[in-house]
């Protein structure tokens, strides 16, 4: 099973009818989503402990995506088929790169335009 993930800079393409089957990952409150979560702040230790350190090697978004997938498989919360990541325009390339480079994210999600 693969879930869809969309990285957007604007929510205008997500009418209320589509939101009920999607999880929104954003720092602003919006209505009508199956679930809404915020990303955790970056770890203050990120990239200072060295390669392989569990708190430095995974991005907060990777951990969040893993938890969402596990919740979906286990039936925790409302069912959903899509994760919508709301990011700033200048953050989009970095977020897309991280999603494409994370092996577990690629195995569990397919990027949608």
């Amino acid at each position: 099973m693969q879930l869809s993930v969309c990285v957007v800079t604007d929510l205008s393409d997500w009418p209320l009818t589509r939101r009920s089957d999607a999880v929104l990952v954003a720092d602003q409150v919006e209505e009508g989503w199956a679930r809404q979560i915020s990303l955790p702040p970056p770890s203050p230790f990120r990239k200072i402990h060295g390669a392989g350190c569990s708190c430095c090697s995974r991005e907060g978004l990777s951990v969040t995506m893993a938890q969402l997938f596990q919740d979906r498989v286990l039936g925790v919360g409302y069912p959903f088929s899509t994760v919508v990541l709301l990011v700033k325009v200048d953050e989009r390339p970095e977020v897309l790169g991280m999603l494409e480079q994370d092996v577990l994210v690629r195995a569990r999600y397919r990027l949608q335009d």
Side-chain angles (χ1 to χ4, degrees), residues 82-103:
T82 305
V83 175
V84 178
L85 303 172
L86 179 61
V87 299
K88 295 177 181 150
V89 173
D90 59 329
E91 295 173 340
R92 192 170 191 272
E94 182 180 345
V95 169
L96 286 171
M98 188 284 308
L99 293 172
E100 292 168 353
Q101 292 174 10
D102 190 295
V103 175

Side-chain angles (χ1 to χ4, degrees), residues 2-18:
Q2 272 193 318
L3 300 172
S4 297
V5 62
C6 299
V7 181
V8 301
T9 58
D10 181 13
L11 293 176
S12 62
D13 291 336
W14 287 91
L16 288 174
T17 55
R18 290 180 70 192

